[in-house]
Amino acid sequence: MSEGIVMVHENGVIVTANPVAEQIFGYSQNELNGAMLEDLLPDRYKGRHVNLRQGFNAHPEPRRMGIGRDLTALRKDGTEFPVEISLSYTHVQGQLLVMAFISDITQRKIAEEALKRSEEQLIVYAAELEKKVQSRTEVLNSTIGVLEKEIHERKKAEYEARKSLERERELNDLKSKFVSIASHEFRTPLSTILSSIALVEQYKKKLDLDKIDKHTERVRSSVKQLTSILNDFLSLGKLEEGKVEVVNEVIELPKLLSDIVEEIKNILKEGQRIELNIEHKIFAIVTDSKILRNILFNLLSNASKYSEVNKIIHLSVIKNYSNLLFQIRDEGLGIPEEDQRHLFDRFFRAGNVSHIQGTGLGLHIVKRYVDLLGGTISFESKQNTGTTFSFQFPVKR
Ligand SMILES: Nc1ncnc2c1ncn2[C@@H]1O[C@H](COP(=O)(O)OP(=O)(O)OP(=O)(O)O)[C@@H](O)[C@H]1O
Ligand SMILES: [Mg+2]
């Protein structure tokens, strides 16, 4: 039996105690007999306990003592220890005897304390763990961030490298295409020059000055042709490298246009002429005169080149809000419908012009120049009827 049992008379005197009780409280055999029950309690509880005991005697019932609070008992040597107590009672010869069953719960309390401490420790650990996880997660996240940034940058670099490689390849394509077209296009003017010079030498002997003049003129125009092809190539090269910059200046448009018309007269076919029409209110404008001249020269020379002799070319300029609108209309051979959508592509030439010299670069360059001016270009054409090119760009004045 591990429970101590103390039997108490209703006046509080201990009648007897079992050996376990004696041992728990540190008394020798039978030493408790005749002692007061309150001797087994710390001083601070003694007074109250007398009342409790008398309350129990008035309505005795078997029950546990001190439910919900810790009970403390006193050993003989004055030390205190935790206990659990159940009460019961009996009547012997008309006398009430109360029995207290007492367990020393010191060990249990120690175990409970330890458990509580280790639970608390566990909570502390958990909190620490959570903190650690959080800080590791933060480190991990920032590492991931760095990695993502690096990946992004590498992708960007790769993209850029690929793009510049592509550009380089395109430029190379362009150059080789150019060389093949140039050598082809150079052949005709060069052979004209060669044969004209041979003829000049012949006519020199005969002193046929008219013929000599005719052939010097041929040489001159062939050289001009070569120069113009070379100029186109140079323009394209500069455009491709992004080296062309718009240089704005104030120009007198009517003067610029009549200069161009004058210049183009040299290359017009027999009986061809240019009808110039400028809206009267247009005078000084701000733009890049070299670029504008180049665009107009290209379009006008096409209009002449792809028209018969004696045809008229119309050049008109009108102001359309803040835009200047140029139109170049010819009565020439027109552009086949199926070719129209490629017209601004590099080196593209329509199917109906194979008998006429050209590199197919002019319009591509024109389009890029119009782009540089912040403008747009379009055309309308009907085969064997004529073509109208229109371009417009914004001007300040
Ligand atoms: N006014 C026009 N009438 C008919 N066809 C035209 C006209 N202008 C351009 N084209 C067509 O568009 C093509 C491209 O013109 P583009 O000026 O670019 O090249 P090109 O005149 O053949 O050669 P070049 O580089 O010497 O100007 C021409 O080959 C021709 O088929
Ligand atoms: Mg052309």
Side-chain angles (χ1 to χ4, degrees), residues 161-176 346:
R162 193 174 299 156
K163 221 170 84 181
S164 74
L165 204 74
E166 241 167 56
R167 260 191 79 66
E168 203 162 304
R169 198 175 296 148
E170 240 172 58
L171 269 176
N172 275 338
D173 277 3
L174 180 69
K175 279 177 194 154
S176 54
R346 267 196 312 241

Coordinates of all heavy atoms in Angstrom, one line a residue, residues 161-176 346:
A161 N 23.3 39.9 -78.3 CA 24.3 39.3 -79.1 C 23.7 38.7 -80.4 O 24.3 38.9 -81.5 CB 25.1 38.2 -78.3
R162 N 22.6 38.0 -80.2 CA 22.0 37.4 -81.3 C 21.5 38.4 -82.3 O 21.6 38.3 -83.5 CB 20.8 36.5 -80.9 CG 20.3 35.6 -82.0 CD 19.3 34.7 -81.5 NE 19.7 33.8 -80.4 CZ 19.0 33.2 -79.5 NH1 17.7 33.4 -79.5 NH2 19.5 32.4 -78.6
K163 N 20.9 39.5 -81.7 CA 20.4 40.6 -82.6 C 21.5 41.2 -83.4 O 21.4 41.4 -84.6 CB 19.7 41.6 -81.7 CG 18.4 42.1 -82.4 CD 17.6 43.0 -81.4 CE 18.1 44.4 -81.5 NZ 17.3 45.3 -80.5
S164 N 22.7 41.5 -82.8 CA 23.7 42.1 -83.5 C 24.3 41.2 -84.5 O 24.8 41.6 -85.6 CB 24.8 42.7 -82.5 OG 25.6 41.7 -82.0
L165 N 24.3 39.9 -84.2 CA 24.8 38.9 -85.1 C 23.9 38.9 -86.4 O 24.4 38.8 -87.5 CB 24.8 37.5 -84.5 CG 25.7 36.5 -85.1 CD1 27.1 36.8 -84.6 CD2 25.3 35.1 -84.6
E166 N 22.6 38.9 -86.1 CA 21.6 38.9 -87.2 C 21.8 40.2 -88.1 O 21.8 40.1 -89.3 CB 20.2 39.0 -86.6 CG 19.3 37.8 -87.0 CD 18.1 37.8 -86.1 OE1 17.4 38.8 -86.1 OE2 17.9 36.8 -85.4
R167 N 22.0 41.3 -87.4 CA 22.2 42.5 -88.1 C 23.5 42.4 -89.0 O 23.5 42.8 -90.2 CB 22.4 43.7 -87.2 CG 21.2 44.5 -87.0 CD 21.5 45.8 -86.3 NE 22.1 46.8 -87.1 CZ 21.4 47.4 -88.1 NH1 20.2 47.1 -88.4 NH2 22.1 48.3 -88.9
E168 N 24.5 41.8 -88.4 CA 25.8 41.7 -89.2 C 25.6 40.8 -90.4 O 26.0 41.1 -91.5 CB 26.8 41.1 -88.2 CG 28.2 41.4 -88.7 CD 29.2 41.2 -87.5 OE1 29.0 41.8 -86.5 OE2 30.1 40.4 -87.7
R169 N 24.8 39.7 -90.1 CA 24.6 38.8 -91.2 C 23.8 39.5 -92.3 O 24.1 39.4 -93.5 CB 23.8 37.6 -90.7 CG 23.8 36.4 -91.7 CD 23.1 35.2 -91.0 NE 23.8 34.7 -89.9 CZ 23.2 34.2 -88.8 NH1 21.9 34.1 -88.8 NH2 23.9 33.8 -87.8
E170 N 22.8 40.3 -91.9 CA 22.0 41.0 -92.9 C 22.8 42.0 -93.7 O 22.7 42.1 -94.9 CB 20.9 41.9 -92.1 CG 19.5 41.5 -92.4 CD 18.5 42.2 -91.5 OE1 18.6 43.5 -91.5 OE2 17.8 41.5 -90.8
L171 N 23.7 42.7 -93.0 CA 24.6 43.6 -93.6 C 25.5 42.9 -94.6 O 25.7 43.4 -95.8 CB 25.5 44.4 -92.6 CG 24.9 45.7 -92.1 CD1 25.7 46.3 -91.0 CD2 24.7 46.7 -93.3
N172 N 26.0 41.7 -94.2 CA 26.8 40.9 -95.1 C 26.0 40.5 -96.4 O 26.5 40.6 -97.5 CB 27.4 39.7 -94.4 CG 28.6 40.0 -93.7 OD1 29.3 41.0 -94.0 ND2 29.0 39.2 -92.7
D173 N 24.8 40.0 -96.1 CA 23.9 39.7 -97.3 C 23.8 40.9 -98.2 O 23.9 40.7 -99.4 CB 22.5 39.3 -96.7 CG 22.4 37.9 -96.3 OD1 23.5 37.3 -96.3 OD2 21.3 37.5 -95.9
L174 N 23.5 42.0 -97.6 CA 23.3 43.2 -98.3 C 24.5 43.5 -99.2 O 24.4 43.8 -100.4 CB 23.0 44.4 -97.4 CG 22.8 45.7 -98.0 CD1 21.5 45.7 -98.7 CD2 22.8 46.8 -96.9
K175 N 25.7 43.4 -98.5 CA 26.9 43.8 -99.3 C 27.2 42.8 -100.4 O 27.5 43.3 -101.5 CB 28.1 43.7 -98.3 CG 28.2 44.9 -97.5 CD 29.4 44.8 -96.5 CE 29.3 45.9 -95.4 NZ 29.9 45.5 -94.2
S176 N 26.9 41.5 -100.2 CA 27.2 40.6 -101.3 C 26.2 40.8 -102.4 O 26.5 40.8 -103.6 CB 27.3 39.2 -100.9 OG 26.1 38.9 -100.2
R346 N 14.2 46.2 -100.4 CA 15.5 46.4 -101.0 C 15.6 45.5 -102.3 O 15.2 44.3 -102.2 CB 16.5 45.9 -100.0 CG 17.1 47.0 -99.2 CD 18.4 46.6 -98.5 NE 18.4 45.3 -97.9 CZ 18.6 45.1 -96.6 NH1 18.8 46.1 -95.8 NH2 18.6 43.9 -96.1

